[in-house]
Amino acid sequence: MNGPTPSSFIRWFADITIADIPSVGGKNASLGEMVRELAGKGVRVPDGFAITAEAFRYFIREANLDAFIRTTLADLDTRDMANLSQRGHAVRQAIRSATLPEDLQQLIGTAYLQLQGAAAVPLDVAVRSSATAEDLPDASFAGQQETYLNVQGLAALLETCQRCFASLFTDRAISYRVDKGFDHFKIALSIGVQRMVRSDLACSGVMFTIDTESGFRDAVLISAAYGLGENVVQGSVTPDEYLVFKTTLKTGHRPILQKTVGSKEFKLIYDTGGGKMVKNVPVSPGDRVKLALTDDEILELARWGCIVEDHYSAKRGHPAPMDLEWAKDGNTGELFIVQARPETVQSRRNPDVLESYHLGRRSAVLATGRSVGEKIATGKVRVIRSAAQIGQFQEGEVLVTDKTDPDWQPIMKKAAAIITNRGGRTCHAAIVSRELGVPAIVGTVDGTEALQDGQVVTVSCAEGDTGFVYEGALTFDVTRTSLKELGHPRTKVMMNLANPEEAFSLSFIPNDGVGLARMEFIITNYIKIHPLALLGFDQLEDAAAKAEIARMTAGYPDKPQFFVDKLAQGVAMLAAAFYPKDVILRLSDFKSNEYANLIGGRAFEPVEENPMIGFRGASRYYHPRYQAGFALECRAVKKVREEMGLTNLKVMIPFCRTIGEGLKVQAEMEKHGLKRGVNGLEIYVMCEIPSNVVLAAGFAGIFDGFSIGSNDLTQLILGVDRDSEIVAPIFDERNEAVKTMIAQVIATCRAHGCKIGICGQAPSDYPEFAQFLVEQQIDSISLNPDTVLKTTLAILATEKTVPDGSHP
């Protein structure tokens, strides 16, 4: 044999480190690194061996394929789909038709038998391609080469290895290398042969140690579906998704921020007949509505993700977010990491430039799904139902399909946007669209039916986790702001937030935390059910409401726990996004007519002539008509602070009319484990009633801080119903009476050493009002996110005229 010695053709994972990428490729090098370095920290990786890049080169050389491949790929135009397909097929066919050298076959066979050990039946293995240039920090090579599962027996293994070698020249791999400027002949293919994890009997998925949409670094995103993992990677199913907060996970807490049930339509399992290795079968309706992982399993995977990321970060000398694949063995119940590679999109984001897309107006919504990319695009729809039709796709169109796989990559780079029926945020379409900088909406369910060829649409991924397909070409603008030159004012600049889906993205805006987190949004959009309807579910007389509640709370025999969990998850997203900065949660401030509109709510709410100044805020919390509902709110807050460890969460009491009411509410909270001062709990009060100003010294004695609600305060000082169009022109927060009262309460708070901020609309609408507040030496100003940057500039300008040292 000419060239390398046989020992250079086979390497066991235990003998491989990340430095061996030139020899065994990125996947195998990372598997070896984890086997060697992280097994002692509890991270489980299935054993196996690598067939090296030298073995690939030896095969190509011995089969005399070099010249043929060079000639076939010369002068290739990757945008000519037909030509690309013809040439790629010719190269792959030549590799598959050649014969593996006899000595290489023997070496592979010996290693396979060693991996099998004393087992009486042929070992089932996963055969994974591992290119020597893959998984680089600026190029993911996601799905470029093939992976084969449930390969049993030496003959099948040898055939599969040859198919892996050929997959270095799939159409998508050829196109990707050409577009990225990689020389085909400076890249070789190694193969990983790894014990199968029997996730066909359990579940599997993908894990990122960074939020894939916003680039928020302190979260782990886990996707999970039943069966073998290819369905999740390829987007064949819409998986469950779980978000875990890293910071308090590492301190022993259980910070699962979000659990979303995916439809998990199919599962990939072993095929015991018909000659195929695996097959897809439907998942039963009962299993589809269940979560694939338990809380303990979610947390174990997230801890492993942190261990892997910390290891690679230390090795590389900089943060190294990771993209991992995991599997659960249905026989043993054990979890395993089966692949690990660098995350290649968000980790390269420039943190000094803030880019935000804003839709000018909305139109009819044609489809919705999970948003990918935080951008907006317009274009004509092109529905592509199979890979055979990809030649029809034109540059700048919106690609609409059931799902994508790596064969679609040559047209994905030409798309204005991508829409799929199936898949989650870690599927192929999502990963590739991020890398290409193309907005995508995945998991729409019916996108290919709802959208028609030639229809002009606007694809918006800039409104949180939900992506919207709007009718027509809508106007939008893009704002790019350099944060390097922005100063930091003495006055704290905070944000008013409601939507948990936007929290991670908005956390990148320079801020001092959240001055107003609105609970009502979470209840209206995520819970939708009146808390008392959950507490009294069995006694509900409204049959339609009862049926809807039963459907929405499937999997919750304890109906009130649904309210607690959903509320806690929404609040935790807000608290985690800004941790360790203060996040001040205003407890529920619905009016009785708004509570009545929740599912099952009419049976529990009074009919009031003027709900704006009726049964709302503090008066509800200790009243027998709502006490039990308020208890659920308290349980959710306690869960966020204690179970998840997010002690930066503060709470705020709205519409507290008297000092006596404030004491009653705090007594009610204490019954449910929320005592002021314990575990750092601070309790604020809204300053939105004239009595809060007049009796500010007394309120300051029982609360940790005030937040001025300028809308209600203006309404009650001027006697103006802010909902009345007739007297609307009189409503003005800049009225001298309003400003006088605000100046008075700020002065009182400062005299008593009590914090005071504002979360009302006025400083967001009027920069001069923000300047007035700075002149009064207010501690913090909480603003709508889209006004933070411009108002910060106005505050900085005003502070130049206000003596320093005015803020404690």
Side-chain angles (χ1 to χ4, degrees), residues 76-81 84 174-176 178-179 410 413:
L76 174 66
D77 178 5
T78 59
R79 291 186 174 262
D80 183 340
M81 296 292 110
L84 172 61
I174 294 169
S175 172
Y176 191 85
V178 169
D179 293 342
K413 64 191 177 189

Side-chain angles (χ1 to χ4, degrees), residues 224-272:
Y226 300 119
L228 301 169
E230 292 302 290
N231 278 345
V232 176
V233 175
Q234 294 176 1
S236 301
V237 298
T238 301
D240 295 342
E241 288 187 0
Y242 318 110
L243 267 174
V244 181
F245 184 51
K246 292 178 187 174
T247 307
T248 57
L249 176 70
K250 293 178 179 180
T251 57
H253 292 88
R254 299 172 64 85
I256 302 176
L257 305 179
Q258 199 175 77
K259 293 190 286 189
T260 304
V261 180
S263 51
K264 305 183 292 293
E265 305 90 333
F266 303 97
K267 61 179 176 180
L268 195 65
I269 64 171
Y270 280 17
D271 191 356
T272 55

Side-chain angles (χ1 to χ4, degrees), residues 108-124:
I108 294 171
T110 300
Y112 174 65
L113 290 174
Q114 186 176 337
L115 185 62
Q116 178 175 309
V121 296
L123 179 69
D124 48 333

Side-chain angles (χ1 to χ4, degrees), residues 688-699:
E688 53 192 344
I689 305 170
S691 62
N692 301 142
V693 178
V694 175
L695 301 176
F699 280 102

Side-chain angles (χ1 to χ4, degrees), residues 140-177:
S140 73
F141 286 76
Q144 297 305 315
Q145 285 80 45
E146 299 290 359
T147 289
Y148 299 92
L149 305 176
N150 186 26
V151 178
Q152 298 183 27
L154 180 56
L157 174 59
L158 293 173
E159 179 194 349
T160 304
C161 286
Q162 208 150 334
R163 289 161 68 184
C164 274
F165 284 152
S167 76
L168 187 62
F169 295 95
T170 57
D171 297 349
R172 67 214 183 217
I174 294 169
S175 172
Y176 191 85
R177 288 196 295 270

Side-chain angles (χ1 to χ4, degrees), residues 474-690:
L474 304 180
T475 58
F476 63 91
D477 61 77
V478 186
T479 305
R480 294 178 180 86
T481 305
S482 174
L483 304 180
K484 281 187 174 180
E485 307 302 321
L486 190 68
H488 193 279
R490 300 190 301 271
T491 307
K492 287 186 176 180
V493 177
M494 306 177 85
M495 277 192 268
N496 299 332
L497 288 187
N499 187 353
E501 293 182 5
E502 297 179 333
F504 284 175
S505 297
L506 293 174
S507 70
F508 288 93
I509 298 172
N511 69 85
D512 292 298
V514 176
L516 172 63
R518 297 186 180 95
M519 181 184 287
E520 299 80 40
F521 182 94
I522 299 169
I523 295 174
T524 301
N525 290 274
Y526 294 94
I527 300 172
K528 303 179 182 179
I529 304 168
H530 196 289
L532 297 180
L534 291 164
L535 285 159
F537 175 75
D538 292 335
Q539 289 76 44
L540 277 181
E541 296 179 0
D542 184 336
K546 192 169 186 177
E548 179 65 3
I549 293 170
R551 184 192 66 80
M552 293 177 63
T553 60
Y556 274 91
D558 178 0
K559 300 303 179 189
Q561 192 63 41
F562 173 82
F563 185 97
V564 174
D565 287 353
K566 291 294 183 184
L567 181 56
Q569 288 170 24
V571 170
M573 285 287 289
L574 300 175
F578 294 86
Y579 188 89
K581 300 171 187 171
D582 285 356
V583 171
I584 303 171
L585 174 70
R586 184 179 66 192
L587 298 172
S588 64
D589 193 26
F590 284 126
K591 288 72 177 174
S592 55
N593 58 323
E594 294 168 333
Y595 264 116
N597 288 330
L598 295 172
I599 298 170
R602 298 204 181 279
F604 301 98
E605 293 298 327
V607 176
E608 298 184 282
E609 288 296 326
N610 192 348
M612 183 71 78
I613 53 174
F615 190 44
R616 62 174 287 201
S619 62
R620 294 184 68 95
Y621 303 157
Y622 58 88
H623 195 285
R625 293 189 69 145
Y626 188 71
Q627 252 176 328
F630 182 62
L632 299 186
E633 295 182 31
C634 292
R635 282 171 56 188
V637 170
K638 185 177 181 183
K639 181 174 182 176
V640 173
R641 286 180 49 84
E642 297 186 7
E643 181 177 316
M644 301 189 193
L646 294 163
T647 52
N648 62 320
L649 181 70
K650 320 294 184 186
V651 292
M652 182 157 60
I653 311 303
F655 225 73
C656 186
R657 295 173 170 95
T658 69
I659 294 169
E661 270 204 325
L663 291 170
K664 286 181 180 179
V665 170
Q666 290 192 36
E668 200 67 29
M669 293 174 67
E670 192 172 334
K671 287 182 191 175
H672 305 294
L674 296 177
K675 183 174 182 179
R676 180 182 170 214
V678 174
N679 198 21
L681 176 63
E682 292 185 0
I683 302 177
Y684 285 62
V685 65
M686 289 289 293
C687 178
E688 53 192 344
I689 305 170

